[in-house]
Amino acid sequence: MSKLEKAIKAIGEVFDEFAGKDDKKSELSSAELKDLIKSQLSSPDFKDKLDPENIKEVMDALDKNRDGNVNFREFSQYVACLSRGYYVKTHGGKGERQKK
């Protein structure tokens, strides 16, 4: 399996692992999201991007349909934003399209 294939598979597996802790297996509650952030985004590169102690703001940013939970679509879009932000941070904006 390629690195990209492993990364794609891992994103789904992490979501399932944390979303599966209550009766809504296909959504992350705020408590599940807090656990996910604390355990999966703890390195210095990501820790300052999401504050698990301020989970309401994180939830508001992710919960686009305002149902009080984060579904996989919402989660995966945010993971893509984190990936893009990490790339820009580590490459000094190289490869990003410049706005006019």
Side-chain angles (χ1 to χ4, degrees):
M1 198 177 283
S2 72
K3 283 183 183 181
L4 182 58
E5 289 167 330
K6 288 177 188 176
I8 292 167
K9 184 178 177 185
I11 290 167
E13 289 172 349
V14 167
F15 181 86
D16 285 344
E17 177 184 339
F18 287 87
K21 293 182 178 183
D22 67 10
D23 60 332
K24 291 187 177 181
K25 304 292 184 205
S26 63
E27 299 177 323
L28 292 165
S29 67
S30 60
E32 291 167 334
L33 182 61
K34 183 176 182 176
D35 288 345
L36 185 151
I37 290 169
K38 277 184 155 178
S39 70
Q40 300 296 309
L41 297 172
S42 60
S43 74
D45 289 335
F46 293 98
K47 192 171 188 164
D48 63 338
K49 302 291 183 247
L50 294 172
D51 181 4
E53 299 309 316
N54 201 353
I55 199 68
K56 179 165 178 13
E57 286 181 26
V58 175
M59 209 51 182
D60 288 346
L62 296 179
D63 184 17
K64 301 297 183 196
N65 64 359
R66 303 289 182 236
D67 67 353
N69 293 296
V70 174
N71 62 34
F72 185 74
R73 180 186 50 79
E74 293 163 332
F75 176 74
S76 62
Q77 288 173 341
Y78 200 70
V79 169
C81 289
L82 286 174
S83 178
R84 188 170 43 252
Y86 180 78
Y87 184 88
V88 169
K89 178 181 176 182
T90 59
H91 290 81
K94 294 177 187 168
E96 283 291 300
R97 199 164 143 201
Q98 300 296 320
K99 293 183 179 183
K100 295 181 181 181

Coordinates of all heavy atoms in Angstrom, one line a residue:
M1 N 0.9 -1.2 0.0 CA 0.0 0.0 0.0 C 0.9 1.2 0.0 O 1.9 1.3 0.7 CB -0.9 0.0 1.3 CG -2.1 0.9 1.2 SD -3.2 0.8 2.6 CE -4.1 -0.7 2.3
S2 N 0.6 2.2 -0.8 CA 1.3 3.5 -0.9 C 1.2 4.3 0.4 O 0.2 4.1 1.2 CB 0.9 4.3 -2.1 OG -0.4 4.9 -1.9
K3 N 2.0 5.3 0.6 CA 1.9 6.2 1.7 C 0.5 6.9 1.7 O -0.1 7.1 2.7 CB 3.0 7.3 1.7 CG 4.3 6.8 2.1 CD 5.3 8.0 2.1 CE 6.7 7.6 2.5 NZ 7.6 8.7 2.5
L4 N 0.1 7.4 0.5 CA -1.2 8.1 0.4 C -2.3 7.2 0.8 O -3.2 7.5 1.5 CB -1.3 8.7 -1.0 CG -2.6 9.5 -1.2 CD1 -2.7 10.7 -0.2 CD2 -2.7 10.1 -2.6
E5 N -2.3 6.0 0.3 CA -3.3 5.0 0.6 C -3.4 4.7 2.1 O -4.5 4.6 2.6 CB -3.1 3.7 -0.2 CG -3.3 3.8 -1.7 CD -2.8 2.7 -2.5 OE1 -1.8 2.0 -2.1 OE2 -3.4 2.4 -3.6
K6 N -2.2 4.6 2.7 CA -2.2 4.4 4.1 C -2.7 5.5 4.9 O -3.5 5.4 5.9 CB -0.7 4.1 4.6 CG -0.2 2.7 4.2 CD 1.3 2.6 4.6 CE 1.9 1.3 4.0 NZ 3.3 1.2 4.3
A7 N -2.4 6.8 4.4 CA -2.9 8.0 5.1 C -4.4 8.0 5.0 O -5.1 8.4 6.0 CB -2.3 9.2 4.5
I8 N -5.0 7.8 3.8 CA -6.4 7.8 3.6 C -7.1 6.8 4.5 O -8.1 7.1 5.2 CB -6.8 7.6 2.1 CG1 -6.3 8.8 1.3 CG2 -8.3 7.3 1.9 CD1 -6.3 8.5 -0.2
K9 N -6.6 5.6 4.5 CA -7.1 4.5 5.4 C -7.0 4.9 6.8 O -8.0 4.7 7.6 CB -6.4 3.2 5.1 CG -6.9 2.0 5.9 CD -6.1 0.8 5.5 CE -6.7 -0.4 6.4 NZ -5.9 -1.6 6.2
A10 N -5.9 5.5 7.3 CA -5.7 5.9 8.7 C -6.7 6.9 9.1 O -7.2 6.9 10.2 CB -4.3 6.4 8.9
I11 N -7.1 7.9 8.2 CA -8.0 8.9 8.6 C -9.4 8.3 8.9 O -10.0 8.6 9.9 CB -8.2 10.0 7.4 CG1 -6.9 10.8 7.4 CG2 -9.4 10.9 7.7 CD1 -6.7 11.6 6.1
G12 N -9.8 7.4 8.1 CA -11.1 6.7 8.3 C -11.0 5.8 9.6 O -12.0 5.8 10.4
E13 N -9.9 5.2 9.8 CA -9.8 4.3 11.0 C -9.8 5.2 12.3 O -10.4 4.8 13.3 CB -8.5 3.5 10.9 CG -8.6 2.4 9.9 CD -7.3 1.7 9.7 OE1 -6.2 2.2 10.1 OE2 -7.3 0.7 9.0
V14 N -9.1 6.3 12.3 CA -9.1 7.2 13.5 C -10.5 7.7 13.7 O -11.0 7.7 14.9 CB -8.1 8.4 13.3 CG1 -8.3 9.4 14.3 CG2 -6.7 7.9 13.3
F15 N -11.2 8.1 12.7 CA -12.6 8.6 12.9 C -13.4 7.5 13.5 O -14.1 7.7 14.5 CB -13.2 9.1 11.5 CG -14.6 9.6 11.7 CD1 -14.8 10.9 12.0 CD2 -15.7 8.7 11.5 CE1 -16.1 11.4 12.1 CE2 -17.0 9.2 11.6 CZ -17.2 10.5 11.9
D16 N -13.4 6.3 12.9 CA -14.2 5.2 13.4 C -13.9 4.8 14.9 O -14.7 4.6 15.7 CB -14.0 3.9 12.6 CG -14.7 4.0 11.2 OD1 -15.6 4.9 11.1 OD2 -14.4 3.2 10.3
E17 N -12.6 4.9 15.2 CA -12.2 4.6 16.6 C -12.8 5.5 17.6 O -13.3 5.1 18.6 CB -10.6 4.6 16.7 CG -10.1 4.4 18.0 CD -8.6 4.5 18.1 OE1 -7.9 4.5 17.1 OE2 -8.1 4.8 19.2
F18 N -12.8 6.8 17.3 CA -13.3 7.8 18.2 C -14.8 8.0 18.1 O -15.4 8.2 19.2 CB -12.5 9.1 18.1 CG -11.1 9.0 18.7 CD1 -10.1 8.5 17.9 CD2 -10.9 9.3 20.0 CE1 -8.8 8.4 18.4 CE2 -9.6 9.1 20.5 CZ -8.5 8.7 19.7
A19 N -15.3 7.9 16.9 CA -16.8 8.0 16.8 C -17.5 6.8 17.4 O -18.7 6.9 17.7 CB -17.2 8.2 15.3
G20 N -16.9 5.7 17.5 CA -17.5 4.5 17.9 C -17.6 4.3 19.4 O -18.0 3.3 19.9
K21 N -17.4 5.4 20.2 CA -17.4 5.3 21.6 C -18.8 5.5 22.2 O -19.0 5.3 23.4 CB -16.4 6.3 22.3 CG -15.0 5.9 21.9 CD -14.0 6.8 22.6 CE -12.6 6.4 22.3 NZ -11.6 7.2 22.9
D22 N -19.8 6.0 21.5 CA -21.1 6.2 22.0 C -22.1 5.5 21.0 O -21.7 4.8 20.1 CB -21.5 7.6 22.3 CG -21.5 8.5 21.0 OD1 -21.5 8.0 19.9 OD2 -21.6 9.7 21.2
D23 N -23.4 5.8 21.2 CA -24.4 5.2 20.3 C -24.5 5.7 18.9 O -25.0 5.1 18.0 CB -25.8 5.3 21.0 CG -26.2 6.7 21.2 OD1 -25.4 7.6 21.4 OD2 -27.5 7.0 21.2
K24 N -23.9 6.9 18.6 CA -23.8 7.4 17.2 C -22.5 7.0 16.6 O -21.5 7.8 16.7 CB -24.0 8.9 17.2 CG -25.4 9.3 17.6 CD -25.6 10.8 17.5 CE -27.0 11.2 17.8 NZ -27.3 12.6 17.6
K25 N -22.4 5.9 16.0 CA -21.2 5.4 15.4 C -20.6 6.1 14.2 O -19.5 6.0 13.8 CB -21.3 3.9 15.1 CG -21.8 3.0 16.2 CD -20.8 2.9 17.3 CE -21.3 1.9 18.3 NZ -20.7 2.1 19.6
S26 N -21.5 7.0 13.6 CA -21.0 7.7 12.4 C -20.8 9.1 12.6 O -20.6 9.9 11.6 CB -22.1 7.5 11.3 OG -23.3 8.0 11.6
E27 N -20.7 9.6 13.9 CA -20.5 11.0 14.2 C -19.7 11.1 15.5 O -19.7 10.2 16.3 CB -21.8 11.7 14.4 CG -22.8 11.7 13.2 CD -24.1 12.4 13.5 OE1 -24.6 12.2 14.7 OE2 -24.6 13.1 12.6
L28 N -18.9 12.2 15.5 CA -18.1 12.5 16.7 C -18.9 13.5 17.6 O -19.3 14.5 17.1 CB -16.8 13.2 16.3 CG -15.8 12.3 15.6 CD1 -14.7 13.2 15.0 CD2 -15.1 11.3 16.6
S29 N -19.1 13.1 18.8 CA -19.7 14.1 19.8 C -18.6 15.0 20.2 O -17.4 14.8 19.9 CB -20.2 13.3 21.0 OG -19.1 12.7 21.7
S30 N -18.9 16.1 21.0 CA -17.9 17.0 21.4 C -16.9 16.3 22.3 O -15.7 16.5 22.3 CB -18.5 18.2 22.1 OG -19.2 17.8 23.2
A31 N -17.3 15.3 23.2 CA -16.4 14.6 24.1 C -15.5 13.7 23.2 O -14.3 13.6 23.5 CB -17.2 13.7 25.0
E32 N -16.0 13.0 22.2 CA -15.2 12.2 21.4 C -14.2 13.0 20.6 O -13.0 12.6 20.4 CB -16.1 11.4 20.4 CG -16.9 10.3 21.1 CD -18.0 9.8 20.2 OE1 -18.5 10.5 19.3 OE2 -18.4 8.6 20.5
L33 N -14.6 14.2 20.1 CA -13.7 15.0 19.4 C -12.6 15.5 20.3 O -11.4 15.6 19.9 CB -14.5 16.2 18.8 CG -13.7 17.2 17.9 CD1 -13.0 16.5 16.7 CD2 -14.5 18.4 17.5
K34 N -12.9 15.9 21.5 CA -11.9 16.3 22.5 C -10.9 15.2 22.7 O -9.7 15.4 22.7 CB -12.6 16.7 23.8 CG -11.6 17.2 24.8 CD -12.4 17.7 26.0 CE -11.5 18.3 27.1 NZ -12.2 18.8 28.2
D35 N -11.4 14.0 22.9 CA -10.5 12.8 23.1 C -9.6 12.6 21.8 O -8.4 12.4 22.0 CB -11.2 11.5 23.3 CG -11.9 11.5 24.7 OD1 -11.5 12.3 25.6 OD2 -12.8 10.6 24.9
L36 N -10.1 12.7 20.6 CA -9.4 12.6 19.4 C -8.3 13.6 19.3 O -7.1 13.3 19.0 CB -10.3 12.7 18.2 CG -9.8 12.4 16.8 CD1 -10.8 11.8 15.9 CD2 -9.1 13.6 16.2
I37 N -8.7 14.9 19.6 CA -7.7 16.0 19.5 C -6.6 15.8 20.5 O -5.4 15.9 20.1 CB -8.4 17.3 19.7 CG1 -9.3 17.7 18.4 CG2 -7.4 18.5 19.9 CD1 -10.2 18.8 18.6
K38 N -6.9 15.5 21.7 CA -5.9 15.3 22.7 C -4.9 14.2 22.4 O -3.7 14.3 22.6 CB -6.5 15.0 24.1 CG -7.0 16.2 24.8 CD -7.5 15.7 26.2 CE -7.4 16.9 27.2 NZ -8.0 16.5 28.5
S39 N -5.4 13.0 21.9 CA -4.5 11.9 21.6 C -3.9 11.9 20.2 O -2.8 11.4 20.1 CB -5.3 10.6 21.8 OG -6.2 10.4 20.8
Q40 N -4.5 12.5 19.3 CA -4.0 12.4 17.9 C -3.3 13.6 17.4 O -2.6 13.6 16.3 CB -5.2 12.0 16.9 CG -5.8 10.7 17.3 CD -4.9 9.5 17.1 OE1 -4.2 9.3 16.1 NE2 -4.8 8.7 18.2
L41 N -3.5 14.8 18.0 CA -2.9 16.0 17.5 C -2.1 16.6 18.7 O -2.4 17.8 19.1 CB -4.0 17.0 17.0 CG -4.8 16.5 15.8 CD1 -5.9 17.5 15.5 CD2 -3.9 16.4 14.6
S42 N -1.2 15.9 19.2 CA -0.5 16.4 20.4 C 1.0 16.8 20.1 O 1.6 17.3 21.0 CB -0.5 15.3 21.4 OG 0.2 14.1 20.9
S43 N 1.5 16.6 18.9 CA 2.8 17.0 18.6 C 2.9 18.5 18.5 O 1.9 19.2 18.2 CB 3.3 16.4 17.3 OG 2.7 17.0 16.2
P44 N 4.1 19.1 18.6 CA 4.2 20.6 18.5 C 3.7 21.2 17.2 O 3.2 22.3 17.2 CB 5.7 20.8 18.7 CG 6.2 19.6 19.5 CD 5.3 18.5 19.0
D45 N 3.8 20.4 16.1 CA 3.4 20.9 14.8 C 1.9 21.2 14.8 O 1.4 22.0 14.0 CB 3.7 19.9 13.7 CG 5.2 19.8 13.5 OD1 5.9 20.8 13.7 OD2 5.7 18.8 13.0
F46 N 1.1 20.4 15.6 CA -0.4 20.6 15.5 C -1.0 21.0 16.8 O -2.1 21.6 16.8 CB -1.0 19.2 15.1 CG -0.6 18.8 13.7 CD1 0.4 17.9 13.5 CD2 -1.3 19.3 12.6 CE1 0.7 17.5 12.2 CE2 -1.0 18.9 11.4 CZ 0.1 18.0 11.1
K47 N -0.3 20.9 17.9 CA -0.9 21.2 19.2 C -1.5 22.6 19.3 O -2.5 22.9 19.8 CB 0.0 20.9 20.3 CG -0.6 20.9 21.7 CD 0.4 20.5 22.7 CE -0.4 20.3 24.0 NZ 0.4 19.5 25.0
D48 N -0.7 23.6 18.7 CA -1.2 25.0 18.8 C -2.3 25.3 17.8 O -2.9 26.4 17.8 CB 0.0 25.9 18.5 CG 0.6 25.7 17.2 OD1 0.5 24.7 16.5 OD2 1.3 26.7 16.7
K49 N -2.7 24.4 16.9 CA -3.7 24.6 16.0 C -5.1 24.3 16.5 O -6.1 24.9 16.1 CB -3.6 23.7 14.7 CG -2.2 23.9 14.0 CD -2.2 25.3 13.4 CE -0.9 25.5 12.6 NZ 0.0 26.5 13.1
L50 N -5.2 23.4 17.5 CA -6.5 23.0 18.1 C -6.3 22.9 19.6 O -5.4 22.2 20.1 CB -6.9 21.6 17.5 CG -7.3 21.6 16.1 CD1 -7.5 20.2 15.7 CD2 -8.5 22.4 15.8
D51 N -7.1 23.6 20.3 CA -7.1 23.5 21.8 C -8.2 22.6 22.3 O -9.4 23.0 22.2 CB -7.2 24.9 22.3 CG -7.1 25.0 23.8 OD1 -6.9 23.9 24.5 OD2 -7.3 26.1 24.4
P52 N -7.9 21.4 22.8 CA -8.9 20.6 23.3 C -9.7 21.1 24.5 O -10.8 20.7 24.7 CB -8.2 19.3 23.7 CG -6.8 19.7 23.8 CD -6.5 20.9 22.9
E53 N -9.1 22.1 25.2 CA -9.8 22.7 26.3 C -10.9 23.7 25.8 O -11.7 24.1 26.6 CB -8.8 23.4 27.2 CG -7.8 22.5 27.8 CD -8.4 21.2 28.5 OE1 -9.4 21.4 29.2 OE2 -7.9 20.1 28.3
N54 N -10.8 24.1 24.5 CA -11.8 25.0 24.0 C -12.6 24.3 22.9 O -12.7 24.8 21.8 CB -11.1 26.2 23.4 CG -12.0 27.4 23.3 OD1 -13.2 27.3 23.5 ND2 -11.4 28.6 23.0
I55 N -13.1 23.2 23.2 CA -13.8 22.3 22.3 C -15.0 22.9 21.6 O -15.3 22.6 20.5 CB -14.1 20.9 22.9 CG1 -14.3 19.9 21.9 CG2 -15.3 21.0 23.9 CD1 -13.1 19.5 21.1
K56 N -15.7 23.8 22.3 CA -16.8 24.4 21.7 C -16.5 25.2 20.4 O -17.2 25.1 19.4 CB -17.5 25.4 22.7 CG -18.8 26.0 22.0 CD -19.7 26.7 23.0 CE -20.9 27.4 22.5 NZ -21.2 27.2 21.1
E57 N -15.4 25.9 20.4 CA -15.0 26.7 19.2 C -14.6 25.7 18.1 O -14.9 25.9 17.0 CB -13.8 27.6 19.6 CG -14.2 28.8 20.3 CD -13.1 29.8 20.6 OE1 -12.1 29.8 19.9 OE2 -13.2 30.5 21.6
V58 N -13.9 24.6 18.5 CA -13.5 23.6 17.5 C -14.7 23.0 16.9 O -14.9 22.8 15.7 CB -12.6 22.5 18.1 CG1 -12.3 21.4 17.1 CG2 -11.3 23.2 18.7
M59 N -15.7 22.6 17.8 CA -16.9 22.0 17.3 C -17.7 23.0 16.4 O -18.2 22.5 15.3 CB -17.7 21.7 18.6 CG -18.7 20.6 18.5 SD -18.0 19.0 18.0 CE -19.6 18.2 18.1
D60 N -17.8 24.2 16.7 CA -18.4 25.2 15.9 C -17.8 25.3 14.5 O -18.5 25.5 13.5 CB -18.5 26.6 16.6 CG -19.5 26.6 17.7 OD1 -20.3 25.7 17.9 OD2 -19.4 27.6 18.5
A61 N -16.5 25.3 14.5 CA -15.7 25.4 13.2 C -16.0 24.1 12.3 O -16.1 24.2 11.1 CB -14.2 25.6 13.5
L62 N -16.1 23.0 13.0 CA -16.2 21.7 12.2 C -17.6 21.4 11.9 O -17.9 20.8 10.8 CB -15.6 20.6 13.0 CG -14.1 20.6 13.3 CD1 -13.7 19.4 14.1 CD2 -13.3 20.7 12.0
D63 N -18.6 21.7 12.7 CA -20.0 21.3 12.6 C -20.7 22.2 11.6 O -21.5 23.0 12.1 CB -20.6 21.2 14.0 CG -22.0 20.7 13.9 OD1 -22.4 20.1 13.0 OD2 -22.8 21.0 14.9
K64 N -20.5 22.0 10.4 CA -21.1 22.9 9.3 C -22.6 22.8 9.3 O -23.2 23.8 9.0 CB -20.5 22.6 8.0 CG -19.0 22.7 7.9 CD -18.5 24.1 8.1 CE -17.0 24.3 8.0 NZ -16.5 25.5 8.5
N65 N -23.2 21.7 9.5 CA -24.6 21.6 9.5 C -25.3 21.8 10.8 O -26.5 21.7 10.9 CB -25.0 20.2 8.9 CG -24.7 19.0 9.8 OD1 -24.1 19.2 10.9 ND2 -25.0 17.8 9.4
R66 N -24.5 22.2 11.8 CA -25.0 22.6 13.1 C -25.9 21.6 13.8 O -26.9 22.0 14.4 CB -25.7 24.0 13.0 CG -24.9 25.1 12.4 CD -23.8 25.5 13.4 NE -23.0 26.6 12.8 CZ -21.7 26.5 12.7 NH1 -21.0 25.4 13.1 NH2 -21.0 27.5 12.2
D67 N -25.6 20.3 13.7 CA -26.4 19.3 14.4 C -25.8 18.9 15.7 O -26.3 18.0 16.4 CB -26.6 18.1 13.5 CG -25.3 17.3 13.2 OD1 -24.2 17.8 13.6 OD2 -25.4 16.2 12.6
G68 N -24.7 19.5 16.1 CA -24.1 19.2 17.4 C -23.1 18.0 17.4 O -22.5 17.7 18.4
N69 N -22.9 17.5 16.2 CA -21.9 16.4 16.0 C -21.1 16.7 14.8 O -21.4 17.5 14.0 CB -22.6 15.1 15.9 CG -23.3 14.6 17.1 OD1 -22.7 14.4 18.2 ND2 -24.7 14.6 17.1
V70 N -20.0 16.0 14.7 CA -19.1 16.1 13.5 C -19.2 14.8 12.7 O -18.8 13.7 13.3 CB -17.7 16.4 13.9 CG1 -16.7 16.4 12.7 CG2 -17.6 17.8 14.6
N71 N -19.7 14.8 11.5 CA -19.7 13.6 10.7 C -18.4 13.4 9.9 O -17.5 14.3 10.0 CB -21.0 13.6 9.8 CG -20.9 14.8 8.8 OD1 -19.9 15.2 8.3 ND2 -22.1 15.3 8.4
F72 N -18.3 12.4 9.2 CA -17.0 12.1 8.5 C -16.7 13.1 7.5 O -15.6 13.5 7.3 CB -17.0 10.7 7.9 CG -15.7 10.4 7.3 CD1 -14.6 10.1 8.2 CD2 -15.4 10.4 6.0 CE1 -13.3 9.8 7.7 CE2 -14.2 10.1 5.5 CZ -13.1 9.9 6.3
R73 N -17.7 13.6 6.8 CA -17.5 14.6 5.7 C -16.9 15.9 6.4 O -15.9 16.4 5.9 CB -18.8 15.0 5.0 CG -18.6 16.1 3.9 CD -19.9 16.5 3.3 NE -20.9 16.9 4.3 CZ -21.0 18.0 4.9 NH1 -20.0 18.9 4.7 NH2 -21.9 18.3 5.8
E74 N -17.5 16.3 7.5 CA -17.0 17.5 8.2 C -15.6 17.3 8.7 O -14.7 18.1 8.6 CB -17.9 17.9 9.3 CG -19.3 18.4 8.8 CD -20.4 18.3 9.9 OE1 -20.3 17.5 10.8 OE2 -21.3 19.2 9.8
F75 N -15.3 16.1 9.3 CA -14.0 15.7 9.8 C -13.0 15.7 8.7 O -11.9 16.2 8.9 CB -14.1 14.4 10.5 CG -12.8 13.9 11.0 CD1 -12.2 14.4 12.2 CD2 -12.2 12.8 10.4 CE1 -11.0 13.9 12.6 CE2 -11.0 12.3 10.9 CZ -10.4 12.9 12.0
S76 N -13.3 15.0 7.6 CA -12.3 14.9 6.5 C -12.0 16.2 5.9 O -10.8 16.4 5.5 CB -12.8 13.9 5.5 OG -14.0 14.3 4.9
Q77 N -12.9 17.1 5.8 CA -12.6 18.4 5.2 C -11.7 19.2 6.2 O -10.8 19.9 5.7 CB -13.9 19.2 5.0 CG -14.7 18.7 3.9 CD -16.1 19.4 3.8 OE1 -16.6 20.0 4.7 NE2 -16.7 19.3 2.6
Y78 N -11.8 19.0 7.5 CA -11.0 19.7 8.4 C -9.6 19.1 8.4 O -8.6 19.8 8.5 CB -11.5 19.7 9.8 CG -10.9 20.8 10.6 CD1 -11.1 22.1 10.4 CD2 -10.0 20.5 11.6 CE1 -10.5 23.1 11.1 CE2 -9.4 21.4 12.4 CZ -9.7 22.8 12.1 OH -9.0 23.8 12.8
V79 N -9.5 17.8 8.2 CA -8.2 17.1 8.1 C -7.4 17.6 6.9 O -6.2 17.9 6.9 CB -8.3 15.6 8.1 CG1 -7.0 14.9 7.7 CG2 -8.8 15.1 9.4
A80 N -8.2 17.8 5.8 CA -7.6 18.4 4.6 C -7.0 19.8 4.8 O -5.9 20.2 4.4 CB -8.6 18.4 3.4
C81 N -7.8 20.6 5.6 CA -7.3 22.0 6.0 C -6.0 21.9 6.8 O -5.1 22.7 6.6 CB -8.4 22.7 6.7 SG -9.8 23.2 5.7
L82 N -6.0 21.0 7.8 CA -4.8 20.8 8.6 C -3.6 20.4 7.7 O -2.5 20.9 7.9 CB -5.0 19.8 9.7 CG -5.9 20.2 10.9 CD1 -6.2 19.0 11.8 CD2 -5.3 21.3 11.7
S83 N -3.8 19.5 6.8 CA -2.8 19.1 5.9 C -2.3 20.2 5.1 O -1.0 20.4 4.9 CB -3.3 17.9 5.0 OG -2.3 17.5 4.1
R84 N -3.2 21.0 4.5 CA -2.8 22.2 3.7 C -2.0 23.2 4.6 O -0.9 23.7 4.2 CB -4.0 22.8 3.1 CG -3.7 23.9 2.1 CD -4.9 24.4 1.4 NE -6.1 24.6 2.1 CZ -7.2 23.8 2.1 NH1 -7.2 22.7 1.3 NH2 -8.2 24.0 2.9
G85 N -2.5 23.4 5.8 CA -1.8 24.3 6.7 C -0.4 23.8 7.1 O 0.6 24.6 7.1
Y86 N -0.3 22.5 7.3 CA 1.0 22.0 7.6 C 2.0 22.1 6.5 O 3.2 22.4 6.6 CB 0.9 20.5 8.0 CG 2.2 19.8 8.4 CD1 2.8 20.0 9.6 CD2 2.8 19.0 7.5 CE1 4.0 19.4 9.9 CE2 4.0 18.4 7.8 CZ 4.6 18.6 9.0 OH 5.8 18.1 9.3
Y87 N 1.5 21.8 5.3 CA 2.3 21.9 4.1 C 2.9 23.4 3.9 O 4.0 23.6 3.7 CB 1.5 21.5 2.8 CG 2.4 21.5 1.6 CD1 3.1 20.4 1.2 CD2 2.5 22.7 0.8 CE1 3.9 20.4 0.1 CE2 3.3 22.7 -0.4 CZ 4.0 21.6 -0.7 OH 4.8 21.6 -1.8
V88 N 2.0 24.3 4.0 CA 2.4 25.7 3.9 C 3.4 26.1 5.0 O 4.4 26.7 4.7 CB 1.2 26.7 4.0 CG1 1.6 28.1 4.1 CG2 0.3 26.5 2.7
K89 N 3.2 25.7 6.2 CA 4.1 25.9 7.3 C 5.5 25.4 7.0 O 6.5 26.0 7.3 CB 3.5 25.4 8.6 CG 4.4 25.6 9.8 CD 3.8 25.0 11.0 CE 4.7 25.1 12.2 NZ 4.1 24.4 13.4
T90 N 5.5 24.1 6.6 CA 6.8 23.5 6.4 C 7.5 23.8 5.1 O 8.7 23.6 4.9 CB 6.7 21.9 6.4 OG1 5.8 21.5 5.4 CG2 6.2 21.5 7.8
H91 N 6.8 24.4 4.1 CA 7.4 24.8 2.8 C 7.4 26.3 2.6 O 7.6 26.7 1.5 CB 6.6 24.1 1.7 CG 6.8 22.6 1.7 ND1 6.2 21.7 2.5 CD2 7.7 21.8 0.9 CE1 6.6 20.5 2.3 NE2 7.5 20.5 1.3
G92 N 7.0 27.0 3.6 CA 7.0 28.5 3.4 C 6.1 29.0 2.4 O 6.4 30.0 1.7
G93 N 5.0 28.4 2.2 CA 4.0 28.8 1.2 C 4.3 28.4 -0.2 O 3.6 28.6 -1.1
K94 N 5.5 27.7 -0.4 CA 5.8 27.2 -1.8 C 4.7 26.2 -2.2 O 4.3 25.3 -1.5 CB 7.2 26.5 -1.8 CG 8.3 27.5 -1.5 CD 9.6 26.8 -1.4 CE 10.7 27.7 -1.0 NZ 11.9 27.1 -0.6
G95 N 4.3 26.3 -3.5 CA 3.3 25.4 -4.0 C 1.9 25.9 -3.8 O 1.0 25.4 -4.4
E96 N 1.7 26.9 -3.0 CA 0.4 27.5 -2.8 C 0.2 28.6 -3.9 O 1.1 29.4 -4.2 CB 0.3 28.2 -1.4 CG 0.1 27.2 -0.3 CD -1.2 26.5 -0.4 OE1 -2.3 27.2 -0.3 OE2 -1.2 25.3 -0.5
R97 N -1.0 28.6 -4.4 CA -1.3 29.6 -5.4 C -1.4 31.0 -4.8 O -2.1 31.1 -3.8 CB -2.7 29.2 -6.1 CG -2.9 29.8 -7.4 CD -4.0 29.0 -8.0 NE -4.8 29.9 -8.7 CZ -6.1 29.7 -9.1 NH1 -6.6 28.6 -8.8 NH2 -6.7 30.6 -9.8
Q98 N -0.8 31.9 -5.3 CA -0.8 33.3 -4.8 C -2.1 34.0 -5.2 O -2.6 33.9 -6.3 CB 0.3 34.1 -5.3 CG 1.7 33.5 -5.0 CD 1.9 33.5 -3.5 OE1 1.6 34.4 -2.8 NE2 2.5 32.4 -3.0
K99 N -2.8 34.6 -4.2 CA -4.0 35.4 -4.5 C -3.6 36.7 -5.1 O -2.6 37.3 -4.7 CB -4.8 35.6 -3.2 CG -5.3 34.3 -2.7 CD -6.2 34.6 -1.5 CE -6.7 33.3 -0.9 NZ -7.6 33.5 0.2
K100 N -4.4 37.2 -6.1 CA -4.2 38.4 -6.7 C -4.9 39.5 -6.1 O -5.9 39.4 -5.5 CB -4.6 38.3 -8.2 CG -3.7 37.4 -8.9 CD -4.1 37.3 -10.4 CE -3.2 36.3 -11.1 NZ -3.5 36.2 -12.5

